[in-house]
Amino acid sequence: MTSTFTLINPATAQPIREIARADVAQTDAAIARAVIAQRAWGSLAPVARADALRAFARVVEAHVEELAQLEVRNSGHPIGSARWEASHVAQVLNFYAGAPERLSGQQIPVAGGLDVTFHEPYGVVGIIVPWNFPMTIASWGFAPALAAGNAVVLKPAELTPLTAIRLGELALDAGLPEGLFTVITGSGSVVGQRFVSHPDVRKVVFTGSTSVGTDVAAGCARELKPVTLELGGKSANIVFADADLEKAAAAAPGAVFDNAGQDCCARSRILVERSVYDRFLELLEPAVQAWRVGDPADEGTDMGPLISASHRSTVAGFLDGANVAFRGAAPEGDGFWFAPTVVLADRADRIAREEVFGPVVAVLPFDDEADAIGLANDTAYGLAGSIWTENLGRAVRVSRGVKSGVLSVNSHSSVRYWTPFGGMKASGLGRELGPDAAEHFTETKNVFFATDA
Ligand code: NAP
Ligand code: MG
């Protein structure tokens, strides 16, 4: 018998519906169907796979509003963000629909014949998705994996499966073959672990915490299975005295409080050059007060609730003994609300070192450029970061010096589907998105054809 899991609307704390939890046998059955579907899909003409993915993209485009409303209810994302996320899924599909016809191999000069390489699909790819950006992160895996000729089994986070389930249905509506892209709901320790241990899942894509990701990688190592990991972060927003301080302060709340700070790229440490530290905090306070926390269904909302009651108590625990400079506002009452919080921190403080994954930012002063780079790198993580300066040479030096996978100068952008994304150090392994992502879902095969008569 299948057990169920109750979904909760994080803005109201009210139940939404029950979701089935797949067991190992059901997971194995989906993987077996994927093996069969992949054989046909992988041997289609490239243009046929391209057309199928474009059709999927068009169906997603026609359902942006429905997907966005599901994310508002299930995840508490503000409606404006949720619409952006749903449109992003369609754009990711459209972008990787261009990949099947561009997966060119090489022709390598070898005497006595013809040597060529092929990009062969792995077969079945298992994708494990976290709850913070349920549909965008899912699409970063399934779109390039399908484009490269693989079948996909995808496990959404138990807390936030609704948009992934709907995307699975929309794939069928768009004409993708049965079994090619299957969304399997259930727990990480059952369904997710089965992706790791099942011999017919030939590659795993995991996004989530560094601790679970490390276990997933260890499990994949035992099966000699490639794995891509997108993990946590403690990214620095570095503000130099020569920056446009007004602009840097105005942009800082969005860089850490977007999605209530439940963002692996959140700039959760603001490092400020000591000579402008007081001035920057004066400018930051009104920007934080202006950050609108409230009903995610409201068009004017910047930030909704945290994902769950237990996550809210974890986030609150980070404020024990912390030196709070100021806080924004948040609604009272039901829902897992948490007011944006700015903390003045010392380098050894827990709040300056561990990922909070909530709307809490630690502000720390630094002395000079070398100190800024050292402090930015004084973390186990290396996902994202921002550098604010009007000095071009400094921007180049610091962006080369910070050990992170995704940096921006005088901006906080991290994610564009056509540029690579991923972390260094404890933030992950491998890269998603960008021009090469479909190729990452293939293995290179080299074939030599002798031409001797
Ligand atoms: P998590 O606990 O690591 O869960 C992530 C996913 O893994 C969920 O689907 C989860 O299933 C599944 N899982 C749990 N245990 C598993 C196991 N033993 N084997 C296989 N799968 C397993 O992380 P989370 O709490 O959902 O997300 C928050 C964390 O993810 C943060 O640390 C954040 O930084 C990180 N994150 C990173 C990125 C990035 O791109 N770098 C993006 C988003 C989030 P359940 O449904 O059972 O929980
Ligand atoms: Mg978890």
Side-chain angles (χ1 to χ4, degrees):
M1 239 212 40
T2 312
S3 67
T4 63
F5 180 85
T6 307
L7 300 186
I8 305 288
N9 180 333
T12 62
Q14 294 303 307
I16 304 172
R17 62 179 255 209
E18 300 287 312
I19 295 289
R21 275 189 167 131
D23 58 19
V24 170
Q26 288 165 323
T27 307
D28 285 2
I31 293 167
R33 287 193 295 273
V35 168
I36 293 165
Q38 192 274 329
R39 287 190 198 122
W41 177 251
S43 51
L44 281 182
V47 68
R49 287 207 304 271
D51 282 345
L53 293 174
R54 286 190 193 101
F56 188 7
R58 282 193 297 273
V59 172
V60 173
E61 274 159 18
H63 291 80
V64 162
E65 188 60 25
E66 182 195 339
L67 289 162
Q69 295 292 348
L70 281 176
E71 208 67 275
V72 171
R73 284 182 73 209
N74 191 173
S75 308
H77 290 196
I79 181 64
S81 308
R83 286 190 187 117
W84 183 93
E85 291 159 24
S87 301
H88 177 89
V89 173
Q91 289 166 337
V92 170
L93 279 165
N94 268 320
F95 183 69
Y96 289 107
E101 293 158 302
R102 292 182 174 85
L103 277 172
S104 307
Q106 291 177 300
Q107 178 270 313
I108 299 169
V110 176
L114 171 69
D115 192 283
V116 291
T117 63
F118 297 91
H119 293 298
E120 303 285 10
Y122 280 103
V124 179
V125 173
I127 301 175
I128 302 170
V129 181
W131 48 258
N132 61 333
F133 287 106
M135 60 182 146
T136 55
I137 291 174
S139 73
W140 302 353
F142 70 68
L146 292 170
N150 301 280
V152 169
V153 286
L154 183 142
K155 193 204 95 63
E158 204 151 43
L159 294 173
T160 60
L162 291 184
T163 48
I165 292 170
R166 191 68 186 119
L167 286 167
E169 294 166 355
L170 295 177
L172 293 175
D173 292 352
L176 259 66
E178 196 86 39
L180 183 70
F181 170 43
T182 308
V183 175
I184 310 170
T185 55
S187 80
S189 55
V190 176
V191 178
Q193 265 309 305
R194 193 60 187 139
F195 292 178
V196 172
S197 66
H198 196 298
D200 288 337
V201 175
R202 294 307 317 148
K203 174 167 177 157
V204 171
V205 176
F206 173 89
T207 304
S209 60
T210 297
S211 62
V212 175
T214 304
D215 286 347
V216 164
C220 287
R222 280 193 292 276
E223 301 290 321
L224 290 179
K225 195 179 283 196
V227 60
T228 301
L229 302 173
E230 298 287 1
L231 309 172
K234 190 73 184 175
S235 297
N237 175 6
I238 310 172
V239 182
F240 286 96
D242 62 23
D244 180 335
L245 288 186
E246 281 74 14
K247 215 172 151 189
V256 58
F257 301 145
D258 189 59
N259 201 24
Q262 303 165 127
D263 182 339
C264 47
C265 296
R267 272 60 165 183
S268 55
R269 293 183 295 155
I270 306 180
L271 316 184
V272 188
E273 193 161 354
R274 204 176 294 276
S275 60
V276 295
Y277 178 82
D278 291 336
R279 175 71 186 136
F280 182 82
L281 284 170
E282 269 171 34
L283 293 167
L284 182 62
E285 184 160 6
V288 171
Q289 302 302 347
W291 188 251
R292 292 158 300 184
V293 183
D295 183 357
D298 213 321
E299 305 273 345
T301 292
D302 293 316
M303 179 182 128
L306 290 170
I307 191 66
S308 66
S310 82
H311 187 55
R312 181 173 60 179
S313 42
T314 304
V315 172
F318 278 92
L319 296 188
D320 292 345
N323 179 10
V324 174
F326 45 85
R327 302 190 74 175
E332 301 281 323
D334 296 339
F336 312 126
W337 304 104
F338 199 91
T341 306
V342 176
V343 171
L344 308 182
D346 291 324
R347 297 180 182 203
D349 292 349
R350 182 176 174 230
I351 194 78
R353 311 195 67 81
E354 292 179 25
E355 183 179 50
V356 179
F357 225 55
V360 180
V361 69
V363 186
L364 298 97
F366 67 83
D367 294 318
D368 56 20
E369 192 178 303
D371 189 36
I373 294 172
L375 183 53
N377 289 336
D378 184 19
T379 167
Y381 296 109
L383 185 52
S386 307
I387 299 147
W388 292 80
T389 175
E390 295 294 301
N391 178 325
L392 176 61
R394 166 170 284 162
V396 174
R397 287 190 300 273
V398 178
S399 57
R400 297 305 300 272
V402 175
K403 288 195 186 340
S404 285
V406 193
L407 291 164
S408 51
V409 175
N410 297 330
S411 146
H412 291 300
S413 68
S414 302
V415 171
R416 290 182 199 85
Y417 54 83
W418 64 101
T419 61
F421 175 82
M424 297 179 177
K425 294 153 70 182
S427 290
L429 271 185
R431 293 293 177 272
E432 299 191 284
L433 299 175
D436 303 326
E439 203 177 306
H440 296 163
F441 288 97
T442 67
E443 295 187 278
T444 301
K445 177 184 285 174
N446 188 77
V447 184
F448 174 70
F449 300 85
T451 50
D452 295 347

